[in-house]
């Protein structure tokens, strides 16, 4: 709130853009809090929503562009850390296996939000497909999280943030399991038809 009071909507935009890379605050906290303040008539709701959405889009686009043009150097440096190497390998296997589905879901999973766009850029994934898929997913995500803050109030936000990772983990796990089952069924049907 102090960022917006001191620097206005431009300050919030820059904070969401640059902060995605350097500030270790989960986006759920930021966006739901922004939604809460919008409900308190401190800010114009549609303006702050758009600034939030565009700030996040700028952050993921920057990550994609960085991956596209400086990806080899960055992946080499990140691979030196075992923890990051495992994350990168897991993310690349998800990208290879699920492609657009992985891209659409990446913003819903903490820890992959900035890494996945970077890796999609690194893999030279077409920008038009990247933007069409991820920008739509982010619009849905921002709408949901902003609405939680706007309509639910401060106590619910705290509970929401506390259990968000668990709910998303179960949801994403269920979706991945569902897709795997569908793929296996499709493969069995193809084998039977041949």
């Amino acid at each position: 709130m102090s960022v917006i009071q001191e620097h206005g909507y431009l300050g919030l935009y820059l904070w969401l853009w640059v902060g995605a890379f350097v500030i270790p605050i989960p986006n759920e906290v930021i966006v739901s809090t922004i939604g809460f303040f919008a409900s308190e008539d401190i800010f114009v709701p549609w303006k702050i929503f758009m600034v939030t959405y565009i700030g996040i889009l700028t952050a993921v686009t920057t990550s994609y562009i960085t991956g596209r043009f400086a990806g080899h150097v960055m992946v080499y440096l990140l691979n030196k850390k075992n923890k990051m190497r495992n994350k990168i390998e897991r993310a690349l296997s998800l990208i290879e296996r699920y492609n657009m589905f992985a891209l659409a879901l990446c913003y819903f999973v903490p820890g992959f939000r900035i890494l996945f766009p970077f890796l999609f850029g690194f893999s030279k994934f077409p920008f038009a497909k990247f933007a069409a898929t991820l920008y739509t997913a982010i619009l849905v995500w921002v709408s949901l999280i902003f609405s939680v803050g706007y309509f639910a109030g401060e106590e619910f936000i705290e509970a929401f943030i506390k259990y968000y990772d668990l709910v998303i983990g179960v949801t994403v796990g269920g979706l991945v399991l569902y897709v795997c089952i569908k793929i296996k069924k499709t493969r069995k049907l193809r084998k039977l038809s041949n």
Side-chain angles (χ1 to χ4, degrees), residues 7-193:
H7 307 287
Y9 292 114
L10 179 62
L12 175 62
Y13 167 77
L14 293 172
W15 192 55
L16 287 164
W17 176 21
V18 178
F21 302 100
V22 294
I23 300 171
I25 300 172
N27 282 355
E28 295 80 17
V29 175
I30 297 167
V31 175
S32 59
T33 304
I34 290 169
F36 173 71
F37 287 130
S39 73
E40 299 290 302
D41 294 328
I42 298 171
F43 309 106
V44 179
W46 72 267
K47 281 185 183 177
I48 201 163
F49 176 87
M50 289 307 296
V51 168
T52 302
Y53 177 61
I54 293 168
I56 291 171
L57 290 188
T58 307
V60 298
T61 304
T62 301
S63 181
Y64 174 89
I65 290 168
T66 303
R68 185 128 185 155
F69 297 105
H72 291 288
V73 173
M74 303 260 316
V75 167
Y76 173 76
L77 294 173
L78 290 171
N79 268 334
K80 288 186 174 184
K81 298 178 182 178
N82 283 338
K83 192 176 180 182
M84 281 308 293
R85 183 182 308 129
N86 293 338
K87 270 189 174 181
I88 290 170
E89 286 172 3
R90 221 172 46 220
L92 284 171
S93 73
L94 287 171
I95 287 170
E96 191 176 311
R97 191 179 308 160
Y98 300 111
N99 213 310
M100 301 289 273
F101 182 71
L103 181 60
L105 281 181
C106 78
Y107 210 80
F108 290 83
V109 182
F112 288 107
R113 292 187 177 127
I114 295 299
L115 179 63
F116 261 56
F118 172 83
L119 292 174
F120 270 90
F122 172 71
S123 65
K124 305 289 191 253
F125 192 78
F127 181 76
K129 283 185 179 180
F130 168 84
T133 304
L134 190 57
Y135 291 9
T136 303
I138 291 172
L139 180 61
V140 170
W141 184 87
V142 171
S143 299
L144 288 171
I145 307 301
F146 186 91
S147 296
V148 167
Y150 190 86
F151 294 111
E154 198 170 352
E155 294 80 20
F156 184 80
I157 291 171
E158 289 174 14
F160 170 76
I161 291 165
K162 186 176 179 181
Y163 297 109
Y164 176 82
D165 289 347
L166 177 66
V167 171
I168 291 302
V170 169
T171 304
V172 169
L175 284 169
V176 168
L177 183 64
Y178 173 77
V179 168
C180 288
I181 291 169
K182 282 292 218 184
I183 290 170
K184 280 187 176 183
K185 283 184 179 179
T186 305
R187 286 180 181 166
K188 274 187 178 180
L189 288 172
R190 283 182 186 162
K191 283 182 182 178
L192 290 173
S193 65

